[in-house]
Amino acid sequence: MENKRFYITTPIYYPSDKLHIGHTYCTVATDAMARYKRLTGCEVMFLTGTDEHGQKIEDKASQAGVTPQQYVDGIVTGSRGVLDLWKLMNISNNRFIRTTDGYHVSAIQKIFKKMYDKGDIYKGKYVGKYCKPCESFWTESQLADGKCPDCGREVQDAEEEAYFFRLSKYADKIQRLLEDTDFLEPRSRVNEMVNNFIKPGLEDLCVSRTSFTWGIPVDFDPGHVVYVWVDALFNYTTALGLCNDQYDDYEKFWPADVHFVGKEIVRFHSIIWPAMLMSMDMPLPKKVFGHGWLLLDGGKMSKSKGNVVDPYILAEMFGVDALRFFLLRTFPFGSDGNFSNEALIQTINVDLANDLGNLLSRTTAMACKYFGGTLPEGCRDYLEQKQSCDSELLAAACHLRDNYEAQMEKFQFQNALEEIFRVIDRANKYIDENAPWALAKDMEANGMRLAHVLYNLLETTRICGVLLSPFMPASMDKLFEQLGADQSARTWDSAREWGALPDTVSVVKGENLFPRVDAEKAIAELEAAAAAAKKAALPELEIEPQLEEKVDFDTFCKSDFRAVKVKDCQPVKKSEKLLRFTLDDGTGVDRQILSGIAKWYKPEDLIGKTLMAIVNLPPRKMMGQESNGMLISAVHTEKGEEALNLLILDDKIPAGAKMC
Ligand code: ME8
């Protein structure tokens, strides 16, 4: 039999910030697809990585006071970085590319030169608009209300000497590729590309920059760095060994079977990427699939909006497999979906704890209770007392693999899972229809029927387990242990063959794989964690900037600052903020000042202290009491919280001494 190969990629991520649940979504989907293909017997190459060049990274590094390489190293290989996240999420990529890897850098230089030698890259002058966060160039006509059409942010003028790629030359070919083939899916994205980008006229693409240095140098023209998208897109081929000796899999795996990409980068993958491949005379990938976004409160997650969801917190709280499952069970892959903690908990409780978890625990518990864990010989083929529900369950379980495969081949993970859960529902109903606990009342008459029923349930659960294993690999291994399914009963072939479990199978009642989540408690914990994360992201120390406006000396001298001694200090009734001070200001007459500092000081701690006050402010009433002046304190912000310290003076300064 021919050894089928399958090459699948995720986008390579910008390590400009920590990754969030939106990034995790695409990688988990790719992982499920890769595992599914391996299950079906394919030799899979699953590539992911990081896209580490560009002005945005250079800027971030300089803000952080480190080199760009140090900056990206921290986010890629550092604690809770990209590599840690993929390990945690049980991502089974075969290869990980960093675009700062030496072999990639020199390969890109060769590729750039090749397109230049062919005449598809030429030198010109770039005048246009640039969106820094997206690292995208736009012409005036492509802007949306003068802003970046992708992210809606401000763009800046850009003019510099630059190299251009003859994208316009490939416009017709690309239009045919998109319209006449299944290259780009879902189909709705084709119209978007053709109408918004190709029909208005494809312009040549600026593919080098001179205004920053953090990129791959154009080796035949120092000062130019390769445009980050040219560098990034070719990762899919350099990681196989194109133009380098690091790897040797280009012939074996190129063209890719599918690139999974988020919808906002479909333009790069379905227009620019095939055009550059055509220029290089290379075969095109078989498919680009543009998935939707995970939204939060209807909007895109972004660090700058402060609304990113941290996959670490969710995985720690609910388990990696529950999170993986939720992402693919809840949202149709091609469309946007709204993330919520409530939906996550509901999916865990309904599908995993209730439906799958109960099926497994009830079945194994009954096999243990009624048969000591090992079913009797002959139970598999016991055909007396046959009922129509038996054949219904069998048919559902045996057809499942085909139905599931049809959906997986279309990347419709949600539908594939729906097929499985229909069978799980059918199996739970089968338990109720057969009431094993009633059969167990007369083991002599019904013992074999009872064993047959339990066997059918174990088999159905096993088949579902095989097909769920790409989604929840670690949990399904545990499920197989509990069912007593050996390696031969975990294979793709065995998922369509009824009876892979021997009838004397021994089950083990194990841990509850998917415990029910206490929704109220979990949501409170998540909200507290989100608040803590938000706080942690706030700057350590913020100090108000100094005023630009000057004050003349005479005006300044009109403010009368004096040392005052605290004779008494009391809280003001019904006020949470105010303290009432009775002060010796050196005049012999007590002065009363009210100050809103109760949050920071206990009244008794201030008695006897020497403070600084401005004493010639007009009197003011607060909570019905008069305040004559103001105590001076120093204020700053720490982790978003206001901090206040009274100016406490040396005790040897006499009351009334003038400050100047
Ligand atoms: O675009 N929901 O990198 P990136 C779903 N370096 N997907 C999301 C998402 C969300 N909320 N947020 C981000 C890049 N993504 C380039 C790729 S490939 C040659 C170069 C997805 O880190 C996004 O759609 O900004 C994209 O597919 C991927 O995360 C990487 O985004």
Side-chain angles (χ1 to χ4, degrees):
M1 198 181 83
E2 189 205 349
N3 188 7
K4 289 174 290 169
R5 290 182 186 135
F6 189 76
Y7 178 29
I8 185 167
T9 66
T10 71
I12 49 171
Y13 297 88
Y14 277 128
S16 60
D17 279 310
K18 299 250 164 188
L19 301 191
H20 56 66
I21 194 80
H23 304 110
T24 311
Y25 176 51
C26 180
T27 309
V28 163
T30 314
D31 187 64
M33 197 63 204
R35 286 178 185 272
Y36 154 74
K37 282 289 176 181
R38 288 191 199 108
L39 181 67
T40 66
C42 284
E43 185 179 359
V44 171
M45 171 61 77
F46 165 12
L47 173 71
T48 185
T50 43
D51 176 9
E52 305 188 356
H53 292 122
Q55 189 167 6
K56 192 162 56 172
I57 303 270
E58 190 175 277
D59 289 352
K60 286 248 174 177
S62 104
Q63 279 159 24
V66 294
T67 65
Q69 189 66 58
Q70 286 168 330
Y71 183 80
V72 291
D73 284 352
I75 296 180
V76 178
T77 60
S79 159
R80 295 201 160 205
V82 179
L83 290 173
D84 273 1
L85 179 61
W86 297 155
K87 196 166 166 204
L88 172 77
M89 294 307 298
N90 208 355
I91 300 303
S92 64
N93 55 299
N94 301 85
R95 208 156 278 175
F96 189 93
I97 184 170
R98 299 182 61 179
T99 55
T100 50
D101 289 338
Y103 74 89
H104 174 78
V105 170
S106 58
I108 291 298
Q109 289 175 327
K110 288 179 197 146
I111 290 165
F112 196 90
K113 181 75 171 31
K114 215 165 173 174
M115 291 193 283
Y116 176 77
D117 288 344
K118 184 171 178 177
D120 273 352
I121 285 182
Y122 62 92
K123 202 169 192 175
K125 193 166 183 191
Y126 181 78
V127 183
K129 303 284 175 188
Y130 186 66
C131 174
K132 214 165 165 187
C134 295
E135 318 239 16
S136 299
F137 292 104
W138 303 101
T139 55
E140 200 76 53
S141 63
Q142 286 173 326
L143 301 179
D145 295 331
K147 304 224 165 95
C148 170
D150 271 354
C151 71
R153 279 180 273 210
E154 294 293 337
V155 289
Q156 57 199 50
D157 288 326
E159 183 182 321
E160 59 188 50
E161 185 188 66
Y163 286 94
F164 286 83
F165 172 69
R166 285 190 205 283
L167 188 58
S168 55
K169 171 175 156 189
Y170 296 97
D172 290 346
K173 274 186 165 177
I174 300 289
Q175 185 166 350
R176 265 180 274 131
L177 173 73
L178 296 182
E179 286 184 335
D180 302 347
T181 74
D182 292 332
F183 176 76
L184 175 59
E185 282 185 8
R187 199 71 202 161
S188 56
R189 310 229 182 264
V190 170
N191 302 334
E192 203 183 312
M193 290 302 118
V194 172
N195 295 336
N196 297 356
F197 297 107
I198 300 182
K199 285 202 173 146
L202 266 192
E203 291 174 23
D204 289 352
L205 178 75
C206 176
V207 288
S208 80
R209 301 298 314 270
T210 52
S211 55
F212 63 93
T213 55
W214 183 240
I216 298 182
V218 175
D219 52 357
F220 57 87
D221 194 348
H224 286 260
V225 293
V226 176
Y227 174 42
V228 69
W229 271 101
V230 175
D231 162 3
L233 285 162
F234 274 100
N235 93 87
Y236 300 130
T237 55
T238 59
L240 296 179
L242 179 74
C243 295
N244 69 82
D245 297 330
Q246 179 85 9
Y247 297 111
D248 192 17
D249 301 304
Y250 177 77
E251 295 299 330
K252 189 166 171 188
F253 285 108
W254 191 256
D257 289 273
V258 63
H259 296 308
F260 278 178
V261 301
K263 63 177 185 178
E264 85 285 16
I265 58 172
V266 162
R267 179 171 78 94
F268 297 94
H269 285 82
S270 66
I271 298 178
I272 298 172
W273 181 221
M276 289 194 300
L277 289 170
M278 288 172 188
S279 167
M280 290 284 289
D281 297 315
M282 285 165 61
L284 306 185
K286 292 177 201 155
K287 197 172 291 298
V288 170
F289 190 95
H291 65 76
W293 283 342
L294 283 194
L295 307 176
L296 200 68
D297 304 325
K300 195 178 182 216
M301 288 177 204
S302 85
K303 181 86 192 286
S304 53
K305 284 199 239 158
N307 68 348
V308 292
V309 176
D310 184 349
Y312 276 101
I313 295 178
L314 298 179
E316 273 158 18
M317 235 167 125
F318 303 112
V320 167
D321 278 352
L323 180 56
R324 288 173 58 110
F325 174 79
F326 164 73
L327 291 174
L328 300 178
R329 165 76 161 140
T330 314
F331 311 109
F333 194 48
S335 325
D336 290 349
N338 219 352
F339 176 90
S340 78
N341 292 327
E342 288 76 4
L344 168 60
I345 294 169
Q346 159 121 344
T347 304
I348 295 175
N349 283 345
V350 174
D351 287 343
L352 297 182
N354 222 30
D355 295 350
L356 174 61
N358 269 345
L359 173 62
L360 176 68
S361 62
R362 287 206 289 175
T363 307
T364 51
M366 288 189 289
C368 289
K369 184 169 171 192
Y370 302 133
F371 298 99
T374 306
L375 297 184
E377 209 167 330
C379 72
R380 176 168 61 190
D381 304 322
Y382 179 73
L383 295 178
E384 287 165 44
Q385 299 177 283
K386 193 124 186 80
Q387 297 190 11
S388 61
C389 60
D390 299 337
S391 39
E392 273 178 37
L393 182 68
L394 245 80
C398 291
H399 284 129
L400 177 57
R401 198 192 87 169
D402 288 347
N403 297 340
Y404 164 94
E405 185 178 15
Q407 297 299 339
M408 291 298 281
E409 290 297 324
K410 292 187 282 183
F411 317 118
Q412 294 302 316
F413 306 109
Q414 190 191 32
N415 294 346
L417 289 166
E418 182 57 31
E419 294 289 347
I420 299 176
F421 276 80
R422 250 204 291 272
V423 175
I424 290 174
D425 276 354
R426 184 66 196 85
N428 276 320
K429 194 169 146 222
Y430 181 80
I431 298 183
D432 299 335
E433 286 163 340
N434 284 284
W437 45 91
L439 292 173
K441 287 196 178 128
D442 186 351
M443 284 300 272
E444 205 160 309
N446 298 323
M448 208 46 149
R449 170 69 193 161
L450 173 59
H452 184 66
V453 166
L454 293 181
Y455 180 86
N456 290 345
L457 288 167
L458 290 175
E459 240 335 73
T460 308
T461 311
R462 178 190 67 79
I463 289 175
C464 293
V466 173
L467 303 179
L468 281 170
S469 63
F471 296 88
M472 299 188 284
S475 308
M476 290 309 105
D477 277 348
K478 291 183 188 163
L479 173 136
F480 293 136
E481 292 297 317
Q482 296 191 15
L483 295 178
D486 64 14
Q487 290 304 328
S488 70
R490 303 178 187 190
T491 63
W492 179 242
D493 285 346
S494 80
R496 206 170 43 179
E497 280 163 18
W498 186 262
L501 288 176
D503 48 7
T504 53
V505 61
S506 289
V507 307
V508 186
K509 179 120 192 60
E511 65 173 300
N512 183 355
L513 291 188
F514 303 107
R516 240 193 118 69
V517 175
D518 175 342
E520 221 170 281
K521 188 165 155 256
I523 286 177
E525 280 177 35
L526 284 169
E527 279 171 4
K534 222 173 181 170
K535 197 166 172 196
L538 290 169
E540 206 62 48
L541 178 68
E542 273 180 292
I543 291 175
E544 225 179 276
Q546 296 184 3
L547 297 180
E548 296 274 325
E549 197 186 332
K550 302 288 178 226
V551 56
D552 66 73
F553 190 69
D554 289 347
T555 309
F556 166 72
C557 287
K558 286 183 189 159
S559 303
D560 196 358
F561 291 97
R562 301 282 169 162
V564 291
K565 294 214 185 263
V566 181
K567 292 174 77 175
D568 191 24
C569 179
Q570 298 291 334
V572 172
K573 274 192 199 137
K574 294 192 188 150
S575 169
E576 286 179 6
K577 288 188 186 164
L578 288 176
L579 295 182
R580 188 183 62 238
F581 289 81
T582 306
L583 302 161
D584 174 2
D585 62 2
T587 60
V589 181
D590 286 350
R591 173 180 290 271
Q592 174 167 297
I593 291 183
L594 301 181
S595 182
I597 59 170
K599 187 174 159 193
W600 294 280
Y601 287 99
K602 285 194 203 129
E604 59 271 25
D605 292 345
L606 293 172
I607 294 172
K609 297 269 187 259
T610 306
L611 306 177
M612 181 168 156
I614 174 166
V615 294
N616 63 339
L617 289 175
R620 232 178 112 191
K621 280 220 161 161
M622 287 184 252
M623 301 292 286
Q625 304 198 32
E626 195 168 283
S627 180
N628 287 292
M630 195 174 84
L631 294 172
I632 307 298
S633 32
V635 286
H636 68 275
T637 307
E638 246 175 72
K639 287 272 172 219
E641 283 214 20
E642 198 186 13
L644 177 143
N645 290 286
L646 279 169
L647 255 64
I648 299 181
L649 307 178
D650 198 319
D651 284 340
K652 66 176 185 261
I653 301 174
K658 186 169 169 67
M659 312 276 132
C660 57

